[in-house]
Amino acid sequence: MHDELTQVDIDKMKEELQHRIQVLRPKLIEEVKVARSFGDLSENFEYKAAKREKNRNDSRIRYLENMIKTAKVINGASQGAGIGLFDKVTIYLEDDDEEETIQLVTTLRQDALKGLISKESPVGRALMGHQVGDRVLIEAGADCRYYVQVRAVEKTGEDPDIPISTF
């Protein structure tokens, strides 16, 4: 499966990748060497911590390289009157009797706590293409189904300041 990402996503990943390879990797390798010089590796916490950070950085580098290699580049501009990528959408949650505003983003930029919802999530998939006034069924699993009503759609376009997710 290919992740659908915008050119801005790809550029941000390339920037992070270069930083991790050119700046972080040499620094972390040096930290491992210094910690190794402290003596017995079986009881050397500094060595284990430095090695863990180096491995974590190497894992992120592999992840970014794979994402860049397999990504399908899409246009970040929302098309037509329906809900599209990067639109801010105000929805009414019928079961909770409250409104919530979310923004649909690529998977790489999702952050539910900030209202950034992936277009590939159950909510994002269900809302894509709908318009103000539509009642939409969200199916988040076999036992989790609920309706929302689209109250407002703001065509915002892609915001390059939304960071990509890290782990």
Side-chain angles (χ1 to χ4, degrees), residues 93-110:
L93 303 161
E94 295 178 0
D95 292 347
D96 298 335
D97 191 31
E98 61 184 47
E99 280 189 355
E100 186 174 328
T101 299
I102 61 172
Q103 184 173 14
L104 297 183
V105 296
T106 58
T107 302
L108 206 56
R109 298 192 204 184
Q110 68 186 353

Side-chain angles (χ1 to χ4, degrees), residues 100-147:
E100 186 174 328
T101 299
I102 61 172
Q103 184 173 14
L104 297 183
V105 296
T106 58
T107 302
L108 206 56
R109 298 192 204 184
Q110 68 186 353
D111 186 343
L113 296 177
K114 294 180 181 175
L116 302 172
I117 306 299
S118 168
K119 71 179 195 73
E120 296 164 4
S121 70
V123 173
R125 275 194 317 269
L127 289 174
M128 292 292 280
H130 284 277
Q131 298 179 353
V132 173
D134 288 354
R135 187 171 184 244
V136 181
L137 175 64
I138 309 291
E139 294 186 77
D143 298 336
C144 184
R145 301 170 57 169
Y146 58 96
Y147 283 96

Side-chain angles (χ1 to χ4, degrees), residues 4-12 73-78 84-88 103-106 108-109 154-162 164:
E4 293 183 339
L5 304 173
T6 65
Q7 189 58 51
V8 172
D9 292 333
I10 301 291
D11 293 344
K12 285 177 178 266
V73 180
I74 59 171
N75 183 357
S78 178
L85 187 59
F86 297 111
D87 290 348
K88 287 188 179 178
Q103 184 173 14
L104 297 183
V105 296
T106 58
L108 206 56
R109 298 192 204 184
E154 180 185 347
K155 301 285 187 182
T156 59
E158 184 171 10
D159 181 358
D161 293 332
I162 300 173
I164 60 173

Side-chain angles (χ1 to χ4, degrees), residues 52-104:
R52 182 175 50 242
E53 282 306 307
K54 181 193 165 299
N55 291 340
R56 186 177 160 107
N57 185 59
D58 289 345
S59 176
R60 180 69 177 178
I61 288 171
R62 286 189 303 275
Y63 169 79
L64 290 169
E65 288 173 338
N66 187 52
M67 288 291 286
I68 292 168
K69 183 173 63 176
T70 62
K72 177 183 175 196
V73 180
I74 59 171
N75 183 357
S78 178
Q79 305 291 326
I83 297 170
L85 187 59
F86 297 111
D87 290 348
K88 287 188 179 178
V89 182
T90 302
I91 55 176
Y92 172 69
L93 303 161
E94 295 178 0
D95 292 347
D96 298 335
D97 191 31
E98 61 184 47
E99 280 189 355
E100 186 174 328
T101 299
I102 61 172
Q103 184 173 14
L104 297 183

